[in-house]
Amino acid sequence: MQLVADVYTTKGLDFSTKHPALIVGPPYSGVKERGPGIYAQEMAKRGYVALAFDPSFNGFSGGEPHHVSSPDIFVEDFMASVDYLGTRDYVDRDRIGVIGICGSGSFALSAAQVDMRIKAVATASMLIFLLPNNRGQRTNAKPA
């Protein structure tokens, strides 16, 4: 299955030396052009080679039918991204990390748990406001 991604680098990157890399996963049912592209662009400005991808079955990536949810395959998308970055001469294979936005935070953690090539993980995941109600506690959160 084809995984489609955009790679971001800082302007004037020295491709003759190795650089740390980050893979940015999108929110659940999201695509690379939304939040991940912004995160990747910012990380590239800070000296990272950053890759933002469309998960399998979403965006420009392969998989039929489209818009199918497969957490197992979404975890594999992170590992496939590590595979790809490892083939780039300018990427330091010992300094590859992942950022999971929202739902892909759990996929990023799962990928790092089984793929020892991933050296760092960061997640930006939303707080579940209704959890206190499930425990009989009061909250000021209003349902959407």
Side-chain angles (χ1 to χ4, degrees):
M1 185 174 333
Q2 183 179 20
L3 192 67
V4 176
D6 294 330
V7 176
Y8 297 78
T9 62
T10 190
K11 194 175 195 176
L13 182 76
D14 180 359
F15 289 95
S16 68
T17 62
K18 297 201 178 287
H19 304 276
L22 290 169
I23 298 159
V24 185
Y28 200 68
S29 77
V31 292
K32 66 187 177 310
E33 290 82 9
R34 294 190 178 163
I38 295 168
Y39 276 68
Q41 196 171 36
E42 282 302 313
M43 294 298 105
K45 289 179 186 175
R46 297 167 192 231
Y48 293 91
V49 173
L51 181 148
F53 64 88
D54 284 339
S56 297
F57 305 103
N58 290 278
F60 290 104
S61 287
E64 292 295 331
H66 237 48
H67 308 294
V68 167
S69 176
S70 176
D72 291 337
I73 292 176
F74 294 166
V75 169
E76 290 179 13
D77 290 344
F78 276 98
M79 295 186 289
S81 297
V82 174
D83 291 343
Y84 174 79
L85 286 174
T87 67
R88 307 294 93 186
D89 292 335
Y90 54 90
V91 170
D92 183 343
R93 296 176 76 177
D94 293 322
R95 295 193 296 162
I96 296 176
V98 295
I99 299 173
I101 302 171
C102 198
S104 71
S106 62
F107 308 140
L109 289 169
S110 294
Q113 189 175 24
V114 296
D115 191 332
M116 298 300 113
R117 301 172 300 169
I118 298 172
K119 304 299 183 189
V121 180
T123 65
S125 297
M126 185 175 170
L127 174 66
I128 301 170
F129 287 104
L130 299 178
L131 187 59
N133 285 337
N134 292 339
R135 293 189 180 145
Q137 301 168 358
R138 293 235 179 246
T139 180
N140 292 330
K142 305 279 189 232

